[in-house]
Amino acid sequence: MKIVVAIKQVPERDAPVRIDAAGRWIEEADLQWALNESDAYALEEALQLKEQHGGEVIVLSAGPERVGSTIREALAKGADRAIHVDCDDLGQRDALAVARLLSAAIQPDSPDLVLTGLQSDDLGYGQTGVILAELLGLPHASLILHVEKSGSGITVKRELEEGWFQNIELPLPAALTIQSGGAKLRYATLMGIKRAKTKEIRRLTAAELGIAAQASITLDRIALPQKQKTTQILTGTAQETAAALVEKLKFEVRAL
Amino acid sequence: MSGILVVLEDRDGRIGRISWEAVAAALQLASTVSQPVHAVVFGADTSAVAAEAAARAVNSVLRVDHALLKTYSSDGYTHALEQLIRARQPEYVVFPHTYQVRDFAPALAARLGQSLIGDVISIGGGPVFTRLLMQGRLTGAYRHSGGGPCFVSVQSGAFRSDSVPGGAAPIESFVPTLDTAQIRTRTGEPFRAGAQTVDLGSAQLIVSVGRGIKEAENLPLVQDLATALGAELGASRPICDSGWLPMERQVGSSGQTVAPKVYIAVGISGAIQHLVGMKGSQCIVAINKDPDAPIFEVADYGIVGDLFEVVPALTAAVKAAKQ
Ligand SMILES: Cc1cc2nc3c(=O)[nH]c(=O)nc-3n(C[C@H](O)[C@H](O)[C@H](O)COP(=O)(O)OP(=O)(O)OC[C@H]3O[C@@H](n4cnc5c(N)ncnc54)[C@H](O)[C@@H]3O)c2cc1C
Ligand SMILES: Nc1ncnc2c1ncn2[C@@H]1O[C@H](COP(=O)(O)O)[C@@H](O)[C@H]1O
C-alpha cells in the first residue's frame, strides 16, 4: 500500500503562549516545536500497515523551514520519503486553503490511503483530513483508531462518544483521520536517525503548486478565555496550600 | 442569498439537546443579521421530528426525506445538503458540533468553496464567531468574508437550549436525488469495548490525573492521595492512551461523565473534551503549575504549583485530618 501521512508541526505542549503585539497570533520566536499528537498516531498506523502489507509511507507537511525537523523525525521513525510544502503564510490560509495545498502535493502520487491526524493541537480545526478527502474525491472516515485490510478495501474502527465504537468498510483509495490512542507509538532508533539523513525530502512551494493564499475565513484577533467561575486560588507553600484545601473540603464542602 | 439554515440531529426519533442549542445560536445570529431561521431535519421519514421542530420559534421547518438517509453516511448527507443549499441559497448554515457533523460538514463546506467555522462558543455583532485555540488556552475571533454561505458549528453547552421559545412553524418538504452508488462507505452498528468494572459515575470523590504526572512510575503519588481520601482514581485521555491506566478510568467526552461531590484534577490542562465529562461536579479543585491552564476556568479552588510537591503534602494533610 502506498500511504501518505499529513503531519503538522505545532508548538510543544507545555510551551508558554504569549499573544503577539498585533493580537492576531502567538509569539513564535522562542517556542519549541513538536509533531502534532494525533499525527504521531497516524504515522504509527501507516508504519504498521506497511510492515504487514508492504508498500511505501510518504510524509507530507506544509509550513516554513522549521518543519524540516518534524519531517526528519518522521523519517527517522520509518517513513520512506517526504514532501515539504514550503510556505510562510499558513496564518493567512483557512482549513480549506491549507487542504488545497496538501491535495495538490498529494495528487501526483495517487496513494491508496491518505492519513491525517484528527485535529491539530494549535488551531484545532479538526477539518483538514475530511476536506482533503473531498478535494481528492476519496471516500473517508473520521476519528479512526485502527485500520485493517479486508479484500480490496479496508475496515476501520471509529470512535464514538462515551466509550462506544463502530466499524466502517471503505473501498480503496480512501482517506482517514486518525484519533490518538489506537496504537503504541514507537521511538526513533539511532539507526533510524542515521538512515533518515539519506532519505528524500522533496520541497515544493505554493507557487509551484499553483495554489494562492486565499481564505473565506479570517482570524481577526486572539485573547485569553474568560473565566466561568470565580476560582479561589490558595497560596503559600505546598504544606500551607494543602492544609488550606483540607480545611475547605472539611468545613465548606463537607466532603471529608 | 439570505436566511439561516440550522441542521438538527435526532437520536431515537427525538431532537437532541445540542441541536436545540444550535437553534438557540441560530436565533441569536438571526437577531444580529435580521434574517429568518429555517430548521432542517434528515431521515427516511422525518414526520415526527419535523413536528417536534415546528413547535419552536423558527420560521419554517424543512424535511429532507430519502430512503438512503435512514442511517447516517457522510456521502448521503453531503449530497443531500449540497442540493438543499444550492436550491435555497442561505447566507448561513448552522450545525451542532457533533461527531456526525465533524465527519461531513467540512467536506460539504469545501464542496461549496467554503471553510467551516467549527466548534463556536459565542456569536457577536458583525457577526464575529469565537472559538477556542491551543487546546482551550486561547480564544480566537473569526469572520467570514467573500461570496457563498457561511458554515458554523456550535460547541455543546455553549448556548442555552431552554432559551428557544415555542412556536408553530410551517413544514415544507425537500426531496434530494440520491442513488446507492453515491454512498461509498458501509457503517456497522455501534458496540462497546468490554465490560465496565469501574463506575466513576456514582463516585462521591474523584482524584483525576493528567499528563502533568510525566511518567507511569509516578502514578502511586496520586493513587496515595485517592486512597487517603477514599476516592476513585480517574484520568485524562493521554494517560489511558499510553496504557498507564485502563480506559474505563477516562473522564471526558470519549470516556465517562462524572458528577462527584469533589473532583480533584491533578496535572490536567482542562481541554474541552475533558471538561464536558466533569464540569457538573459540585466542587472542582485544580492543581496545576500553569496559572493560565483552562482547568482554572471551571475550578472552585485552585493551587498553582508543582504537583510533585503539592500532592504529597495534601495526602499527608488528609491523613492527619482523618485521624
Ligand atoms: C474527539 C476527542 C475526544 C477526546 N476525548 C477526551 C476525553 O474523553 N477525556 C480527556 O481527558 N481528553 C479527551 N480528549 C483529549 C483532550 O483534547 C486533551 O488532549 C487531553 O484532555 C489533555 O490531557 P491532559 O490535560 O492530561 O494533558 P495536557 O494538556 O498535556 O496537560 C498537562 C497539564 O499538566 C500541567 N503540569 C505539567 N507538569 C506539572 C507539574 N509538575 N505540576 C503541576 N502541573 C503540571 C501542565 O501545566 C498542563 O496544564 C479528546 C480529544 C478529542 C479530539
Ligand atoms: N500545515 C499542515 N501540514 C501537514 N498536515 C497538516 C497541516 N495542517 C493540518 N494538517 C493535517 O490535518 C490534521 C487536522 O488539522 P486541523 O484541521 O487543523 O485540525 C492534522 O492533524 C494534520 O494531519
Side-chain angles (χ1 to χ4, degrees):
Chain A
M1 255 196 276
K2 191 192 233 185
I3 308 172
V4 169
V5 188
I7 56 173
K8 186 177 183 185
Q9 188 184 56
V10 295
E12 188 128 272
R13 237 174 335 256
D14 272 2
V17 299
R18 280 194 309 275
I19 298 172
D20 69 13
R24 297 189 62 175
W25 193 231
I26 51 174
E27 291 285 2
E28 291 200 345
D30 39 34
L31 280 184
Q32 306 271 46
W33 301 87
L35 172 60
N36 188 54
E37 184 171 27
S38 53
D39 303 7
Y41 285 93
L43 176 61
E44 182 60 41
E45 198 61 45
L47 294 173
Q48 291 191 13
L49 283 168
K50 183 194 150 181
E51 282 159 7
Q52 288 163 34
H53 306 288
E56 189 183 20
V57 174
I58 307 160
V59 289
L60 164 66
S61 190
E65 207 182 321
R66 63 169 153 77
V67 310
S69 62
T70 296
I71 288 177
R72 274 188 297 278
E73 183 189 330
L75 291 174
K77 283 185 173 182
D80 297 290
R81 61 183 168 95
I83 304 171
H84 177 187
V85 179
D86 204 342
C87 66
D88 291 322
D89 59 1
L90 277 184
Q92 276 95 270
R93 294 174 187 265
D94 57 18
L96 174 58
V98 172
R100 280 191 174 127
L101 274 183
L102 300 177
S103 143
I106 290 172
Q107 233 137 20
D109 272 306
S110 326
D112 301 302
L113 203 52
V114 176
L115 303 185
T116 70
L118 171 68
Q119 194 160 324
S120 59
D121 291 339
D122 51 356
L123 293 170
Y125 291 135
Q127 295 191 37
T128 307
V130 175
I131 302 173
L132 261 181
E134 169 67 21
L135 297 179
L136 293 165
L138 302 178
H140 77 269
S142 60
L143 268 150
I144 301 308
L145 286 164
H146 186 64
V147 185
E148 195 108 332
K149 218 169 166 298
S150 58
S152 63
I154 48 174
T155 302
V156 299
K157 181 180 172 191
R158 176 174 203 238
E159 174 180 305
L160 302 170
E161 274 133 318
E162 290 165 13
W164 289 82
F165 305 94
Q166 70 188 168
N167 287 331
I168 300 178
E169 291 169 31
L170 300 92
L172 289 177
L176 304 172
T177 80
I178 304 292
Q179 164 70 309
S180 305
K184 204 171 162 358
L185 298 178
R186 71 189 65 196
Y187 292 100
T189 59
L190 266 177
M191 181 60 107
I193 294 168
K194 223 175 183 174
R195 280 208 191 113
K197 295 197 173 112
T198 63
K199 289 179 177 170
E200 175 195 314
I201 304 177
R202 194 150 56 90
R203 286 199 179 69
L204 296 164
T205 62
E208 280 162 357
L209 291 167
I211 310 286
Q214 49 160 183
S216 60
I217 300 299
T218 50
L219 175 53
D220 274 7
R221 78 200 121 72
I222 62 169
L224 287 172
Q226 278 165 359
K227 287 199 185 301
Q228 297 166 24
K229 268 192 186 173
T230 41
T231 309
Q232 265 190 57
I233 298 288
L234 309 173
T235 53
T237 64
Q239 282 69 26
E240 287 161 0
T241 55
L245 181 60
V246 167
E247 285 286 291
K248 301 278 183 199
L249 292 180
K250 199 165 177 176
F251 299 108
E252 287 178 27
V253 191
R254 298 183 183 281
L256 283 188
Chain B
M1 224 176 42
S2 81
I4 302 168
L5 294 186
V6 53
V7 179
L8 310 186
E9 247 174 57
D10 67 281
R11 265 200 192 169
D12 306 321
R14 300 278 300 171
I15 292 168
R17 178 186 45 79
I18 176 166
S19 289
W20 292 126
E21 293 171 3
V23 175
L27 290 173
Q28 190 184 321
L29 178 61
S31 69
T32 75
V33 298
S34 308
Q35 293 194 25
V37 174
H38 309 284
V40 183
V41 290
F42 274 92
D45 173 10
T46 57
S47 47
V49 281
E52 196 188 347
R56 300 293 189 112
V58 292
N59 294 78
S60 77
V61 175
L62 286 161
R63 291 179 56 175
V64 183
D65 290 67
H66 197 288
L68 291 175
L69 298 175
K70 188 168 168 29
T71 51
Y72 167 78
S73 69
S74 168
D75 285 331
Y77 271 50
T78 304
H79 281 296
L81 256 180
E82 179 198 359
Q83 290 169 27
L84 178 71
I85 290 166
R86 292 201 193 280
R88 303 287 299 218
Q89 303 277 319
E91 193 163 339
Y92 298 91
V93 185
V94 179
F95 298 93
H97 192 74
T98 60
Y99 275 35
Q100 192 166 298
V101 164
R102 41 190 301 165
D103 188 57
F104 80 93
L108 170 72
R111 195 169 289 182
L112 291 146
Q114 303 297 318
S115 227
L116 166 80
I117 309 179
D119 222 0
V120 162
I121 56 168
S122 72
I123 301 174
V128 167
F129 302 93
T130 303
R131 57 185 299 281
L132 297 174
L133 297 167
M134 301 289 295
Q135 303 252 318
R137 295 163 86 190
L138 294 171
T139 61
Y142 285 79
R143 265 175 211 277
H144 174 257
S145 59
C150 168
F151 291 85
V152 177
S153 71
V154 299
Q155 186 168 91
S156 169
F159 293 83
R160 304 266 318 251
S161 59
D162 56 8
S163 73
V164 180
I171 300 175
E172 291 172 56
S173 271
F174 179 84
V175 182
T177 326
L178 295 174
D179 73 76
T180 340
Q182 285 172 315
I183 295 163
R184 297 168 291 180
T185 56
R186 291 230 334 261
T187 304
E189 287 298 314
F191 61 91
R192 291 204 90 133
Q196 302 275 123
T197 55
V198 188
D199 181 16
L200 295 181
S202 59
Q204 281 299 297
L205 300 170
I206 295 176
V207 177
S208 260
V209 56
R211 191 146 43 190
I213 197 73
K214 304 237 159 39
E215 310 275 345
E217 292 73 62
N218 299 331
L219 281 175
L221 198 74
V222 183
Q223 178 67 64
D224 287 349
L225 174 60
T227 309
L229 280 164
E232 279 287 353
L233 189 62
S236 67
R237 178 166 184 136
I239 301 296
C240 303
D241 279 355
S242 314
W244 298 354
L245 285 174
M247 196 198 151
E248 58 190 4
R249 297 213 174 260
Q250 182 177 314
V251 173
S253 62
S254 49
Q256 301 208 37
T257 301
V258 301
K261 199 162 180 190
V262 180
Y263 186 91
I264 304 183
V266 179
I268 292 179
S269 61
I272 180 66
Q273 295 89 356
H274 189 81
L275 298 187
V276 296
M278 45 63 81
K279 68 181 178 193
S281 306
Q282 275 176 53
C283 171
I284 296 171
V285 179
I287 301 170
N288 197 301
K289 67 173 185 190
D290 174 9
D292 291 327
I295 190 75
F296 288 119
E297 287 156 40
V298 299
D300 299 278
Y301 299 108
I303 297 177
V304 179
D306 185 349
L307 73 89
F308 295 99
E309 290 170 18
V310 175
V311 172
L314 190 55
T315 308
V318 169
K319 282 186 180 156
K322 280 200 162 180
Q323 266 169 12

